[in-house]
Amino acid sequence: SAGTGRDAAATRRLAGEGVAGVKSGFETIRVFPGALRALQEFHDGAHDPCRLAVASSADTPFAAAIAQAALDVLEVVPGVTLRSVLNRGWPEGFDGHVRIGRTPPLSSNKAKTHFPLIKEATGIPYDGMLFFDDSNWSDHCTIVAAGCPGVVTQRTPRGMQ
């Protein structure tokens, strides 16, 4: 995926506010405006000591590799990548808070794989987690709330605007 990240970097779209989009084939991967504002607040320390995690069920290994590469290219503020904001507050080199894909040990059911793995890796109990999901093809929030009691969930079918 390192090559994918470099290719994505070469085709990224620069805006006045840093890298706002990454080309992937004919599509452009972007962070929703509301999510970007929240990430900028996390970057600024407005929500300390909260930390971030990712539970994404990218549907193919290639899609998961593209998502991982995008974390290294998209910028929350100029010069600060999405991955660096996601890593804020975690030990250097730790990646147990980023679970992307469906390849084992992950699956399409985040309640059975992503969340238990994040809980185990981070030591954060379910009642200390908040989950936003923009899926329009499955109600991951209901599934996670039922399978991981205590996780607060919020559907965002149009993304965080």
Side-chain angles (χ1 to χ4, degrees):
S1 90
T4 303
R6 302 304 163 243
D7 294 342
T11 60
R12 65 190 182 197
R13 182 178 67 81
L14 293 174
E17 299 172 358
V19 180
V22 179
K23 290 295 280 180
S24 176
F26 295 108
E27 302 293 324
T28 301
I29 300 168
R30 304 179 199 282
V31 178
F32 286 108
L36 181 59
R37 282 190 301 277
L39 290 163
Q40 289 167 340
E41 290 176 6
F42 270 93
H43 170 66
D44 291 340
H47 302 290
D48 287 350
C50 290
R51 291 171 287 175
L52 299 171
V54 173
S56 172
S57 55
D59 60 354
T60 67
F62 185 61
I66 289 170
Q68 290 281 0
L71 297 179
D72 294 323
V73 177
L74 290 169
E75 294 180 349
V76 171
V77 296
V80 179
T81 66
L82 179 51
R83 185 175 310 274
S84 67
V85 173
L86 291 173
N87 289 344
R88 191 173 194 276
W90 297 109
E92 183 76 26
F94 177 73
D95 67 358
H97 62 299
V98 177
R99 301 295 178 163
I100 299 174
R102 297 182 183 188
T103 303
L106 301 176
S107 73
S108 61
N109 186 337
K110 295 175 187 178
K112 292 202 178 293
T113 57
H114 296 67
F115 279 85
L117 289 169
I118 290 170
K119 178 183 174 190
E120 180 182 336
T122 65
I124 296 175
Y126 292 142
D127 64 3
M129 296 183 186
L130 173 62
F131 175 55
F132 292 91
D133 190 56
D134 66 346
S135 175
N136 286 308
W137 57 90
S138 180
D139 185 353
H140 294 290
C141 287
T142 296
I143 295 165
V144 168
C148 304
V151 175
V152 174
T153 65
Q154 177 62 55
R155 291 191 76 195
T156 58
R158 292 184 309 277
M160 290 178 66
Q161 302 296 320

